[in-house]
């Protein structure tokens, strides 16, 4: 009988995150050793970004202060292991592309603050960023721990 190999994916959410060229880290929430399980992650939507509403990123950041947001180490681990990313993260029920944001790491580029996300584009997962001064609609959920 052949043994079944079980691979556990543990993400170190305490190490310094990847920093894009020319950026700095404004704030960073450490998260310990995170044993990846998609059932432990929920996509968070503010009431103010649902039903056609749009919330400004700085306001959304305040709302997320009481949530267990995941940091960019999870994003980068998932980019390196894309088979782990849930299929439902690609598109919403209307077929629109989702951008899943990792608010545990806020970056600064010049005078602006940004949060990175991952999204499905042309058959591959890639990262994107959005400026906190922009509007955040229902295609921009936050990845948070489902407690």
């Amino acid at each position: 009988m052949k043994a079944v190999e079980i691979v556990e994916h543990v993400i170190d959410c305490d190490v310094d995150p990847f920093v894009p060229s020319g950026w700095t880290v404004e704030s960073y929430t450490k998260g310990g050793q995170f044993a990846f399980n998609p059932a432990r992650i929920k996509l968070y939507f503010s009431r103010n970004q649902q039903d056609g509403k749009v919330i400004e990123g700085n306001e959304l950041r305040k709302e997320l202060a009481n949530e267990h947001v995941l940091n960019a180490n999870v994003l980068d681990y998932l980019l390196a292991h894309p088979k782990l990313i849930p299929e439902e993260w690609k598109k919403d029920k209307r077929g629109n592309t989702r951008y899943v944001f990792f608010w545990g790491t806020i970056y600064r580029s010049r005078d602006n603050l940004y949060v990175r996300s991952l999204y499905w584009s042309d058959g591959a997962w890639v990262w994107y960023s959005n400026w906190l001064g922009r509007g955040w609609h229902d295609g921009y959920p936050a990845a948070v721990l489902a407690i």
Side-chain angles (χ1 to χ4, degrees):
M1 176 185 249
K2 185 176 179 180
V4 176
E5 180 182 354
I6 298 174
V7 178
E8 184 176 39
H9 293 271
V10 178
I11 304 167
D12 188 349
C13 293
D14 285 345
V15 298
D16 291 340
F18 163 74
V19 181
S21 179
W23 292 18
T24 59
V25 173
E26 178 75 10
S27 67
Y28 172 60
T29 303
K30 292 185 177 186
Q33 302 299 305
F34 178 63
F36 183 80
N37 177 344
R40 293 188 59 216
I41 301 173
K42 71 177 181 177
L43 299 182
Y44 173 92
F45 297 92
S46 165
R47 281 188 234 143
N48 295 310
Q49 70 181 135
Q50 296 177 36
D51 302 320
K53 294 184 232 168
V54 177
I55 184 172
E56 194 250 357
N58 289 299
E59 291 303 311
L60 181 54
R61 182 181 183 189
K62 291 175 190 173
E63 285 188 25
L64 288 166
N66 294 323
E67 295 291 331
H68 295 284
V69 293
L70 297 175
N71 66 36
N73 290 345
V74 177
L75 178 155
D76 291 319
Y77 190 89
L78 292 174
L79 285 174
H81 302 88
K83 291 183 189 260
L84 298 176
I85 303 172
E87 187 71 20
E88 60 269 16
W89 286 19
K90 288 181 181 177
K91 303 218 178 258
D92 65 17
K93 293 176 184 173
R94 297 182 310 266
N96 297 319
T97 300
R98 273 198 174 130
Y99 294 77
V100 179
F101 283 86
F102 293 78
W103 283 84
T105 310
I106 308 289
Y107 295 93
R108 179 175 292 281
S109 177
R110 298 185 193 104
D111 292 331
N112 297 312
L113 298 179
Y114 293 87
V115 178
R116 290 175 57 222
S117 69
L118 57 82
Y119 75 103
W120 183 253
S121 176
D122 295 325
W125 288 98
V126 294
W127 72 267
Y128 168 78
S129 64
N130 200 20
W131 172 48
L132 269 62
R134 292 191 64 202
W136 297 67
H137 54 72
D138 64 356
Y140 290 177
V144 302
L145 279 180
I147 297 177

